[in-house]
Amino acid sequence: MIFPPFEASFAQVGMWITERMGRAGSAYHMPLVIRFDGPLDATALLLACEAVIRRHPVLSSAIAENDGLPVEVAGARPEVRIRVTEDLTELIRAETLRPFDVERGPLARFTLARLAPERYALIVVAHHLVFDGESKDVLVRDLAAFYNGRTLPRLATAYHQFAADERTRVTADLAEARAYWGPRWREPGETRLPGLPGGRRGAAPARAHTFLAHPPEVPGVSRFELFLAAVHTLLYMYGNATPCCAIDLSTRTPAVRDNIGLFVNELPISSRPSPELTVAGLARRLHTELREMYRFRAVPLARAVRGVRPRTALAAVSVSYRKRREEPEFTGLATTVDWAAFNHSVRSVLHFQAVDTPDGLLVIMQYGSDSGSPEVPPEVARTAEDLLVIMNNPDMSVSADLSAAAPDLAGAIREIWQEVLGIDEIGDDEDLFDLGGHSLTITQIIARMRKRLGVEVSLDVFFDTPTITGVVAAVLDAEPAVSGT
């Protein structure tokens, strides 16, 4: 598709400048992996990929310079290839790290990997200039529709039309946005983070440490607001008097609900916790502050205040949060989607990517590391453990001693067993089944442990080690780390 140059969106302008400075690395590469088990019709899937590319022309665009300004132009059409491999992990890594030509394109690529006669994986890697987190949902949904033989209506609004409308809206909101940000924005200083260089703000090679959390419900705040308050509390406990995080906010409008593209604005949010404040209290403060900020969610900070330097992140610690949609069905196939595939880079000192799933809050901690070691540094593991303690205890003070706030795990589990089994005293090494426990008893215990302690234990643990000592050991082995990459 050929179209004339269009003025780039605000988000694209900032990203393009960072790319031009050579500071981005793979920080703006966004991989997505879909695994298929069953009799996949490879030809139909490749045709579905082509249909997605036609439906979303932004994937065939590029960002070029025109008289010193970035503009959206027609770029090379995204690649759709098929490969045979026995090493999917290495192929994903290679496709993720392969550079993009921002000015010529393509800014997306599709690789179908054949792993076995009835096992495939589709690797999609797109540049953030034309893609965002919610675009992953749109792409998978559209891909499934086309593979299943459905047709989809033409999109009413193109990305360049959204960018033009956004400029109009931002112009109308600019005066109020400047009044809002004037007393709030200060260039963040060095952030204290154990074992990490708190003063650096730029993309760097990185590793990821992943864990699953089960934060309790707090009246009056969302799970995102509680998570953000936990991160602010963590920074405050580490000696940062005025914690500041950069957060990604969606700028989508109803007109582009079904579009692929870059619909994100990064904005900073700071807090001034006081020692007597609880984590839940801080979450409620942030709730109020965010509601004010949302009025100007489309206004880039650099438009509202002076002196904002072009960087890959506005603060040393950044946060992105999204709810995972249900995975669409591909007819006749069992599919799994890796929504949080890692790009092997971090755009700040520490980035928290939180994905709200039916199984809990999946948290991916991305941190700078060029050591090549697969081991998670003790300081990073401790940061994850501290964050879990904070999330699981929203009534604790933001100045509490974390070691004292950590629950007596064995005592808490014993209390749950006593309640469910109706027994007053249970020893650490007494067998659950000898005490009268059974499968339904175990599911009740698991549910209460999830709700009260924020931990998830499988049925197998109780069958293999049906004692309090055994369950405690399993919890400590599994939390907080699910994986390190």
Side-chain angles (χ1 to χ4, degrees), residues 92-113:
I92 294 171
R93 180 183 178 88
E95 288 299 311
T96 299
L97 295 179
R98 188 151 61 98
F100 287 97
D101 187 335
V102 168
E103 296 199 345
R104 294 179 178 84
L107 296 184
R109 44 183 176 257
F110 297 71
T111 304
L112 179 61

PDB file of all heavy atoms in Angstrom, residues 92-113:
ATOM      1  N   ILE A  92      13.804 -17.765  18.561  1.00  0.00           N
ATOM      2  CA  ILE A  92      13.085 -16.612  19.125  1.00  0.00           C
ATOM      3  C   ILE A  92      14.076 -15.504  19.477  1.00  0.00           C
ATOM      4  O   ILE A  92      13.847 -14.324  19.179  1.00  0.00           O
ATOM      5  CB  ILE A  92      12.269 -17.029  20.363  1.00  0.00           C
ATOM      6  CG1 ILE A  92      11.146 -17.989  19.968  1.00  0.00           C
ATOM      7  CG2 ILE A  92      11.695 -15.804  21.070  1.00  0.00           C
ATOM      8  CD1 ILE A  92      10.426 -18.605  21.160  1.00  0.00           C
ATOM      9  N   ARG A  93      15.168 -15.883  20.097  1.00  0.00           N
ATOM     10  CA  ARG A  93      16.176 -14.893  20.477  1.00  0.00           C
ATOM     11  C   ARG A  93      16.747 -14.180  19.249  1.00  0.00           C
ATOM     12  O   ARG A  93      16.858 -12.946  19.218  1.00  0.00           O
ATOM     13  CB  ARG A  93      17.295 -15.573  21.257  1.00  0.00           C
ATOM     14  CG  ARG A  93      18.411 -14.623  21.699  1.00  0.00           C
ATOM     15  CD  ARG A  93      19.534 -15.362  22.398  1.00  0.00           C
ATOM     16  NE  ARG A  93      20.609 -14.457  22.773  1.00  0.00           N
ATOM     17  CZ  ARG A  93      20.657 -13.788  23.917  1.00  0.00           C
ATOM     18  NH1 ARG A  93      19.697 -13.944  24.804  1.00  0.00           N
ATOM     19  NH2 ARG A  93      21.654 -12.966  24.186  1.00  0.00           N
ATOM     20  N   ALA A  94      17.079 -14.964  18.211  1.00  0.00           N
ATOM     21  CA  ALA A  94      17.663 -14.378  17.010  1.00  0.00           C
ATOM     22  C   ALA A  94      16.691 -13.428  16.319  1.00  0.00           C
ATOM     23  O   ALA A  94      17.069 -12.327  15.886  1.00  0.00           O
ATOM     24  CB  ALA A  94      18.097 -15.487  16.051  1.00  0.00           C
ATOM     25  N   GLU A  95      15.416 -13.852  16.215  1.00  0.00           N
ATOM     26  CA  GLU A  95      14.423 -12.996  15.568  1.00  0.00           C
ATOM     27  C   GLU A  95      14.153 -11.743  16.396  1.00  0.00           C
ATOM     28  O   GLU A  95      13.908 -10.656  15.849  1.00  0.00           O
ATOM     29  CB  GLU A  95      13.127 -13.773  15.355  1.00  0.00           C
ATOM     30  CG  GLU A  95      13.203 -14.829  14.265  1.00  0.00           C
ATOM     31  CD  GLU A  95      13.524 -14.216  12.919  1.00  0.00           C
ATOM     32  OE1 GLU A  95      12.872 -13.227  12.543  1.00  0.00           O
ATOM     33  OE2 GLU A  95      14.435 -14.723  12.236  1.00  0.00           O
ATOM     34  N   THR A  96      14.193 -11.862  17.710  1.00  0.00           N
ATOM     35  CA  THR A  96      13.947 -10.708  18.585  1.00  0.00           C
ATOM     36  C   THR A  96      15.063  -9.689  18.485  1.00  0.00           C
ATOM     37  O   THR A  96      14.814  -8.475  18.464  1.00  0.00           O
ATOM     38  CB  THR A  96      13.787 -11.177  20.040  1.00  0.00           C
ATOM     39  OG1 THR A  96      12.672 -12.058  20.143  1.00  0.00           O
ATOM     40  CG2 THR A  96      13.570  -9.993  20.973  1.00  0.00           C
ATOM     41  N   LEU A  97      16.303 -10.152  18.412  1.00  0.00           N
ATOM     42  CA  LEU A  97      17.454  -9.251  18.413  1.00  0.00           C
ATOM     43  C   LEU A  97      17.803  -8.731  17.024  1.00  0.00           C
ATOM     44  O   LEU A  97      18.589  -7.788  16.910  1.00  0.00           O
ATOM     45  CB  LEU A  97      18.671  -9.957  19.019  1.00  0.00           C
ATOM     46  CG  LEU A  97      18.560 -10.328  20.497  1.00  0.00           C
ATOM     47  CD1 LEU A  97      19.818 -11.047  20.969  1.00  0.00           C
ATOM     48  CD2 LEU A  97      18.323  -9.087  21.358  1.00  0.00           C
ATOM     49  N   ARG A  98      17.245  -9.323  15.963  1.00  0.00           N
ATOM     50  CA  ARG A  98      17.567  -8.875  14.607  1.00  0.00           C
ATOM     51  C   ARG A  98      17.137  -7.414  14.434  1.00  0.00           C
ATOM     52  O   ARG A  98      15.987  -7.061  14.728  1.00  0.00           O
ATOM     53  CB  ARG A  98      16.863  -9.770  13.586  1.00  0.00           C
ATOM     54  CG  ARG A  98      17.261  -9.520  12.148  1.00  0.00           C
ATOM     55  CD  ARG A  98      17.143 -10.788  11.314  1.00  0.00           C
ATOM     56  NE  ARG A  98      15.809 -11.328  11.264  1.00  0.00           N
ATOM     57  CZ  ARG A  98      14.952 -11.122  10.242  1.00  0.00           C
ATOM     58  NH1 ARG A  98      15.302 -10.360   9.226  1.00  0.00           N
ATOM     59  NH2 ARG A  98      13.773 -11.698  10.262  1.00  0.00           N
ATOM     60  N   PRO A  99      18.050  -6.540  13.967  1.00  0.00           N
ATOM     61  CA  PRO A  99      17.726  -5.101  13.888  1.00  0.00           C
ATOM     62  C   PRO A  99      16.606  -4.811  12.892  1.00  0.00           C
ATOM     63  O   PRO A  99      16.347  -5.584  11.965  1.00  0.00           O
ATOM     64  CB  PRO A  99      19.047  -4.479  13.422  1.00  0.00           C
ATOM     65  CG  PRO A  99      20.100  -5.490  13.729  1.00  0.00           C
ATOM     66  CD  PRO A  99      19.437  -6.823  13.586  1.00  0.00           C
ATOM     67  N   PHE A 100      15.951  -3.670  13.099  1.00  0.00           N
ATOM     68  CA  PHE A 100      14.976  -3.138  12.163  1.00  0.00           C
ATOM     69  C   PHE A 100      15.574  -1.943  11.439  1.00  0.00           C
ATOM     70  O   PHE A 100      16.373  -1.188  12.023  1.00  0.00           O
ATOM     71  CB  PHE A 100      13.705  -2.672  12.897  1.00  0.00           C
ATOM     72  CG  PHE A 100      12.833  -3.778  13.402  1.00  0.00           C
ATOM     73  CD1 PHE A 100      12.918  -4.199  14.721  1.00  0.00           C
ATOM     74  CD2 PHE A 100      11.908  -4.391  12.569  1.00  0.00           C
ATOM     75  CE1 PHE A 100      12.102  -5.214  15.203  1.00  0.00           C
ATOM     76  CE2 PHE A 100      11.089  -5.401  13.040  1.00  0.00           C
ATOM     77  CZ  PHE A 100      11.179  -5.819  14.357  1.00  0.00           C
ATOM     78  N   ASP A 101      15.196  -1.743  10.198  1.00  0.00           N
ATOM     79  CA  ASP A 101      15.533  -0.527   9.463  1.00  0.00           C
ATOM     80  C   ASP A 101      14.350   0.417   9.628  1.00  0.00           C
ATOM     81  O   ASP A 101      13.341   0.295   8.924  1.00  0.00           O
ATOM     82  CB  ASP A 101      15.784  -0.843   7.988  1.00  0.00           C
ATOM     83  CG  ASP A 101      16.300   0.369   7.213  1.00  0.00           C
ATOM     84  OD1 ASP A 101      16.021   1.502   7.648  1.00  0.00           O
ATOM     85  OD2 ASP A 101      16.963   0.169   6.183  1.00  0.00           O
ATOM     86  N   VAL A 102      14.466   1.334  10.570  1.00  0.00           N
ATOM     87  CA  VAL A 102      13.333   2.192  10.938  1.00  0.00           C
ATOM     88  C   VAL A 102      12.865   3.045   9.765  1.00  0.00           C
ATOM     89  O   VAL A 102      11.670   3.277   9.582  1.00  0.00           O
ATOM     90  CB  VAL A 102      13.728   3.081  12.142  1.00  0.00           C
ATOM     91  CG1 VAL A 102      12.695   4.172  12.368  1.00  0.00           C
ATOM     92  CG2 VAL A 102      13.877   2.237  13.394  1.00  0.00           C
ATOM     93  N   GLU A 103      13.792   3.500   8.915  1.00  0.00           N
ATOM     94  CA  GLU A 103      13.434   4.432   7.847  1.00  0.00           C
ATOM     95  C   GLU A 103      12.917   3.736   6.597  1.00  0.00           C
ATOM     96  O   GLU A 103      12.293   4.370   5.753  1.00  0.00           O
ATOM     97  CB  GLU A 103      14.631   5.310   7.493  1.00  0.00           C
ATOM     98  CG  GLU A 103      15.061   6.218   8.641  1.00  0.00           C
ATOM     99  CD  GLU A 103      15.918   7.374   8.179  1.00  0.00           C
ATOM    100  OE1 GLU A 103      16.412   7.319   7.038  1.00  0.00           O
ATOM    101  OE2 GLU A 103      16.075   8.334   8.955  1.00  0.00           O
ATOM    102  N   ARG A 104      13.186   2.436   6.446  1.00  0.00           N
ATOM    103  CA  ARG A 104      12.754   1.731   5.248  1.00  0.00           C
ATOM    104  C   ARG A 104      11.790   0.578   5.551  1.00  0.00           C
ATOM    105  O   ARG A 104      11.010   0.172   4.708  1.00  0.00           O
ATOM    106  CB  ARG A 104      13.976   1.182   4.491  1.00  0.00           C
ATOM    107  CG  ARG A 104      14.868   2.285   3.922  1.00  0.00           C
ATOM    108  CD  ARG A 104      16.076   1.682   3.216  1.00  0.00           C
ATOM    109  NE  ARG A 104      16.912   2.709   2.619  1.00  0.00           N
ATOM    110  CZ  ARG A 104      17.839   3.388   3.283  1.00  0.00           C
ATOM    111  NH1 ARG A 104      18.039   3.120   4.566  1.00  0.00           N
ATOM    112  NH2 ARG A 104      18.560   4.311   2.686  1.00  0.00           N
ATOM    113  N   GLY A 105      11.867   0.048   6.754  1.00  0.00           N
ATOM    114  CA  GLY A 105      11.056  -1.103   7.087  1.00  0.00           C
ATOM    115  C   GLY A 105      11.708  -2.378   6.569  1.00  0.00           C
ATOM    116  O   GLY A 105      12.808  -2.353   6.021  1.00  0.00           O
ATOM    117  N   PRO A 106      11.057  -3.518   6.733  1.00  0.00           N
ATOM    118  CA  PRO A 106       9.771  -3.668   7.428  1.00  0.00           C
ATOM    119  C   PRO A 106       9.919  -3.499   8.935  1.00  0.00           C
ATOM    120  O   PRO A 106      10.988  -3.771   9.483  1.00  0.00           O
ATOM    121  CB  PRO A 106       9.347  -5.095   7.075  1.00  0.00           C
ATOM    122  CG  PRO A 106      10.645  -5.823   6.859  1.00  0.00           C
ATOM    123  CD  PRO A 106      11.571  -4.818   6.260  1.00  0.00           C
ATOM    124  N   LEU A 107       8.846  -3.059   9.587  1.00  0.00           N
ATOM    125  CA  LEU A 107       8.844  -2.871  11.036  1.00  0.00           C
ATOM    126  C   LEU A 107       8.116  -4.005  11.757  1.00  0.00           C
ATOM    127  O   LEU A 107       7.793  -3.879  12.935  1.00  0.00           O
ATOM    128  CB  LEU A 107       8.221  -1.518  11.386  1.00  0.00           C
ATOM    129  CG  LEU A 107       8.995  -0.294  10.876  1.00  0.00           C
ATOM    130  CD1 LEU A 107       8.343   0.986  11.367  1.00  0.00           C
ATOM    131  CD2 LEU A 107      10.457  -0.346  11.290  1.00  0.00           C
ATOM    132  N   ALA A 108       7.886  -5.094  11.045  1.00  0.00           N
ATOM    133  CA  ALA A 108       7.317  -6.300  11.652  1.00  0.00           C
ATOM    134  C   ALA A 108       7.776  -7.491  10.828  1.00  0.00           C
ATOM    135  O   ALA A 108       8.087  -7.352   9.638  1.00  0.00           O
ATOM    136  CB  ALA A 108       5.789  -6.235  11.695  1.00  0.00           C
ATOM    137  N   ARG A 109       7.841  -8.650  11.471  1.00  0.00           N
ATOM    138  CA  ARG A 109       8.194  -9.880  10.761  1.00  0.00           C
ATOM    139  C   ARG A 109       7.487 -11.063  11.410  1.00  0.00           C
ATOM    140  O   ARG A 109       7.287 -11.110  12.620  1.00  0.00           O
ATOM    141  CB  ARG A 109       9.709 -10.090  10.722  1.00  0.00           C
ATOM    142  CG  ARG A 109      10.441  -9.829  12.018  1.00  0.00           C
ATOM    143  CD  ARG A 109      11.948 -10.002  11.822  1.00  0.00           C
ATOM    144  NE  ARG A 109      12.686  -9.665  13.029  1.00  0.00           N
ATOM    145  CZ  ARG A 109      13.351  -8.522  13.205  1.00  0.00           C
ATOM    146  NH1 ARG A 109      13.371  -7.611  12.246  1.00  0.00           N
ATOM    147  NH2 ARG A 109      14.000  -8.291  14.334  1.00  0.00           N
ATOM    148  N   PHE A 110       7.129 -12.029  10.565  1.00  0.00           N
ATOM    149  CA  PHE A 110       6.399 -13.217  10.990  1.00  0.00           C
ATOM    150  C   PHE A 110       7.216 -14.442  10.577  1.00  0.00           C
ATOM    151  O   PHE A 110       7.560 -14.594   9.401  1.00  0.00           O
ATOM    152  CB  PHE A 110       5.029 -13.291  10.307  1.00  0.00           C
ATOM    153  CG  PHE A 110       4.087 -12.160  10.639  1.00  0.00           C
ATOM    154  CD1 PHE A 110       4.311 -10.868  10.159  1.00  0.00           C
ATOM    155  CD2 PHE A 110       2.952 -12.386  11.417  1.00  0.00           C
ATOM    156  CE1 PHE A 110       3.429  -9.841  10.444  1.00  0.00           C
ATOM    157  CE2 PHE A 110       2.071 -11.364  11.710  1.00  0.00           C
ATOM    158  CZ  PHE A 110       2.312 -10.080  11.233  1.00  0.00           C
ATOM    159  N   THR A 111       7.519 -15.315  11.522  1.00  0.00           N
ATOM    160  CA  THR A 111       8.269 -16.532  11.235  1.00  0.00           C
ATOM    161  C   THR A 111       7.516 -17.731  11.802  1.00  0.00           C
ATOM    162  O   THR A 111       7.303 -17.810  13.013  1.00  0.00           O
ATOM    163  CB  THR A 111       9.684 -16.475  11.838  1.00  0.00           C
ATOM    164  OG1 THR A 111      10.371 -15.315  11.362  1.00  0.00           O
ATOM    165  CG2 THR A 111      10.472 -17.727  11.464  1.00  0.00           C
ATOM    166  N   LEU A 112       7.105 -18.638  10.924  1.00  0.00           N
ATOM    167  CA  LEU A 112       6.441 -19.866  11.359  1.00  0.00           C
ATOM    168  C   LEU A 112       7.496 -20.957  11.464  1.00  0.00           C
ATOM    169  O   LEU A 112       8.116 -21.344  10.467  1.00  0.00           O
ATOM    170  CB  LEU A 112       5.347 -20.271  10.371  1.00  0.00           C
ATOM    171  CG  LEU A 112       4.592 -21.566  10.708  1.00  0.00           C
ATOM    172  CD1 LEU A 112       3.885 -21.438  12.060  1.00  0.00           C
ATOM    173  CD2 LEU A 112       3.596 -21.918   9.611  1.00  0.00           C
ATOM    174  N   ALA A 113       7.712 -21.466  12.666  1.00  0.00           N
ATOM    175  CA  ALA A 113       8.731 -22.480  12.921  1.00  0.00           C
ATOM    176  C   ALA A 113       8.064 -23.849  13.044  1.00  0.00           C
ATOM    177  O   ALA A 113       7.156 -24.031  13.862  1.00  0.00           O
ATOM    178  CB  ALA A 113       9.499 -22.144  14.188  1.00  0.00           C
TER     179      ALA A 113
END
